[in-house]
Amino acid sequence: MAAKDDLGRAGEDRAAQHLTNLGYEILDRNWRCSLGELDIVARHGDVIAIVEVKTRRSESFGHPFEAIDARKRQRLWRLAYAWAREHPDAAHRRALRLDAIGLTGDAPATARIEHLQDLL
């Protein structure tokens, strides 16, 4: 596995732990369908949060959140609805929300973590 893939996986692990510490229940990780992949799907109260995780060693090439442009958000929404269709019991009567978690630092375990809720 490439170093970039290792970094991304470690960032997703840290993001999942961050969410768990905040009281989220992780429902799915790396869920795939023909449309693509969701990093993390988590329940927090009456909300299903679709969480995109971006991990960077530095901001030399931009902030992690800059990679989540309008086109990426549209794709995440399509994936969110696909996930909800495949998991009707979990998604029933719950709002869907897009979140982003960005990690910046040499090692995901000690990286700065930022959590944006409710991306539009």
Side-chain angles (χ1 to χ4, degrees):
M1 187 177 281
K4 180 183 173 216
D5 294 334
D6 289 340
L7 179 70
R9 176 71 59 192
E12 288 176 10
D13 289 345
R14 171 101 186 275
Q17 186 60 54
H18 167 78
L19 292 168
T20 300
N21 291 345
L22 292 175
Y24 288 70
E25 177 188 357
I26 306 300
L27 301 177
D28 248 322
R29 290 197 48 194
N30 304 113
W31 179 82
R32 289 180 173 89
C33 72
S34 62
L35 300 172
E37 178 180 349
L38 294 174
D39 293 335
I40 298 174
V41 180
R43 179 175 35 232
H44 193 239
D46 290 335
V47 174
I48 300 292
I50 305 302
V51 185
E52 179 70 6
V53 181
K54 294 295 181 188
T55 307
R56 304 285 186 267
R57 293 194 191 282
S58 73
E59 291 186 19
S60 297
F61 296 101
H63 189 279
F65 294 147
E66 291 177 28
I68 307 171
D69 59 11
R71 186 172 161 189
K72 177 71 171 182
R73 288 190 306 274
Q74 288 174 343
R75 185 167 176 258
L76 289 169
W77 276 117
R78 285 192 297 273
L79 285 161
Y81 291 126
W83 184 91
R85 280 191 302 275
E86 285 198 17
H87 300 84
D89 292 340
H92 183 68
R93 295 187 185 251
R94 289 190 170 83
L96 288 174
R97 181 180 82 201
L98 292 184
D99 286 8
I101 292 181
L103 293 103
T104 308
D106 287 330
T110 57
R112 182 181 80 235
I113 189 165
E114 297 174 79
H115 182 184
L116 291 179
Q117 296 180 346
D118 205 12
L119 301 176
L120 299 176

